[in-house]
Amino acid sequence: MSDLFKHHPSGFSRRSMLRAAAAAMAIPALARSTVAFAQDKLAGSGQVIAFSWGGLFTKGIRKYVYEPFTEATGIKVVDVVADVAEPQVKAMNQAGRVDWDTAFIQASTLPSMDEAGMFVPINYSLWDAESIKGTEESVRLKSAVPVIASAMTLAYDKRALGNNGPKSWGDFWNVKAFPGPRGLTQLPANAKNNIVFALLADGVPKSDIWPLTDEKIDRALKKFDEIRPHISKWWSAGSEAPQLLLNREIAISSCFDGRAISAIRQGAPIQMIWDGAYVNYTYWTVLKGGPNSENAQKLIAFVNRAAVAAEFTIGTGYPGPNINQLDHLPSDQVPLLSINPENSSKVIHEDSAWLAAKRPDGKTNLEHIGDRWLAWRVQ
């Protein structure tokens, strides 16, 4: 019998045990150890309206997290989909009508939104000891907790470039050695990624990337003038990059690691390059004024269990917040993750605090970079 059953202070009735056993049979194997915990501490009713990004990501999180959560707790998850959550969250907050319960918020935009009172504190009392231990204290914020450590990597079609494809962002710019149409994101929110990639391609050492001063932005945009004629697709949704590669519309592109991993694990001939990958946290928040805040707290507590965090990573391709998940992941997936030590030594971590800092004109550094990027794009 599970320790979670044995140590329940009041014991479980036969009906409760049968219900838990039935739930366990209905959910992925790695999440079964969470059933008793969820039945006890996280059980409820009604629904929770949860944000996700659509495509394979939503398909994966629905199967590996939302459905097991419903089976274990009795709480239905209704997912809403958008490319980014921040504009909608701000609009709902300003209108005084919040229709969602949870949202994924980028680390660079979290401080200003938190200061504006858009989130409620995370209820860490719902977490078990293993979840607390596995999630670093430095990222267990008062009103947010990481849902993923995501990366934007260089990815290419192995059918087009074989086994000797590009190895760095410098190679992305080298159209003679690595011919083929390119793809990059056009979203202003990801302009910071593009600026970093251009600086790496121009020879700036990783240790000198931050902060992204105006001089460095100028240098990056000048570098982009070189590659602009070879960018055939400016993608705006995360699902586009791997699909464009699969369709042979592009040969090389920036690509979110989770999207690439999901495609690779389904047999796609895509290769990811970790050298110079841009890594940042995305935080899970409970929205102030949401219709089902208590259920939202339970969903976040559920996904931070190590076994469920592993299921989250299996389903979405992105590593979940509990580092203990590495003990539960398939051996073939660990090498594909940013948290794998071999990969983490090659990446660049975002300076989210600098991006969130305000400039003399009142705009954040992130907003300033987005403005500079848009101005360059429309030239």
Side-chain angles (χ1 to χ4, degrees), residues 138-373:
S138 62
V139 298
R140 280 189 271 116
L141 308 182
K142 179 181 178 182
S143 300
V145 67
V147 61
I148 57 174
S150 63
M152 190 174 284
T153 71
L154 177 64
Y156 66 89
D157 179 3
K158 292 193 290 187
R159 296 167 301 182
L161 296 169
N163 294 323
N164 295 313
K167 299 294 189 295
S168 67
W169 287 103
D171 291 344
F172 182 92
W173 259 257
N174 190 344
V175 295
K176 291 184 179 180
F178 304 97
R182 266 78 165 150
L184 281 173
T185 179
Q186 64 177 329
L187 291 172
N190 294 123
K192 54 189 170 62
N193 304 61
N194 290 341
I195 296 298
V196 167
F197 298 152
L199 290 174
L200 292 172
D202 205 39
V204 177
K206 295 175 185 176
S207 59
D208 293 340
I209 291 293
W210 299 102
L212 299 178
T213 62
D214 283 342
E215 181 181 1
K216 289 178 184 175
I217 296 172
D218 290 341
R219 179 174 176 177
L221 294 178
K222 184 177 180 180
K223 188 69 175 177
F224 263 109
D225 289 336
E226 299 175 12
I227 199 66
R228 187 173 197 162
H230 305 280
I231 305 297
S232 62
K233 294 290 183 179
W234 293 97
W235 55 266
S236 57
S239 58
E240 288 185 70
Q243 194 61 54
L244 290 166
L245 289 167
L246 286 173
N247 294 348
R248 296 180 183 265
E249 295 181 58
I250 56 176
I252 316 173
S253 181
S254 59
C255 185
F256 287 114
D257 57 340
R259 301 288 187 170
I261 290 168
S262 293
I264 290 169
R265 287 175 62 80
Q266 294 180 50
I270 294 174
Q271 180 68 47
M272 287 194 304
I273 301 301
W274 284 102
D275 187 20
Y278 185 113
V279 175
N280 71 302
Y281 284 120
T282 300
Y283 283 87
W284 212 337
T285 60
V286 178
L287 303 185
K288 185 176 182 179
N292 310 284
S293 294
E294 183 178 351
N295 287 344
Q297 298 281 6
K298 291 177 178 180
L299 176 61
I300 291 175
F302 181 80
V303 81
N304 275 278
R305 295 274 294 170
V308 182
E311 291 291 289
F312 178 98
T313 302
I314 292 169
T316 68
Y318 296 96
N322 190 335
I323 195 66
N324 291 329
Q325 69 172 292
L326 292 173
D327 297 330
H328 300 274
L329 286 167
S331 59
D332 67 324
Q333 187 162 10
V334 173
L336 299 174
L337 300 178
S338 63
I339 56 176
N340 174 28
E342 185 175 343
N343 298 331
S344 63
S345 65
K346 302 174 183 177
V347 307
I348 291 178
H349 286 275
E350 177 179 280
D351 188 341
S352 300
W354 182 85
L355 288 170
K358 289 191 175 182
R359 299 168 57 88
D361 61 3
K363 291 187 176 182
T364 65
N365 287 315
L366 178 67
E367 291 169 334
H368 175 70
I369 292 171
D371 290 345
R372 293 290 310 276
W373 176 252

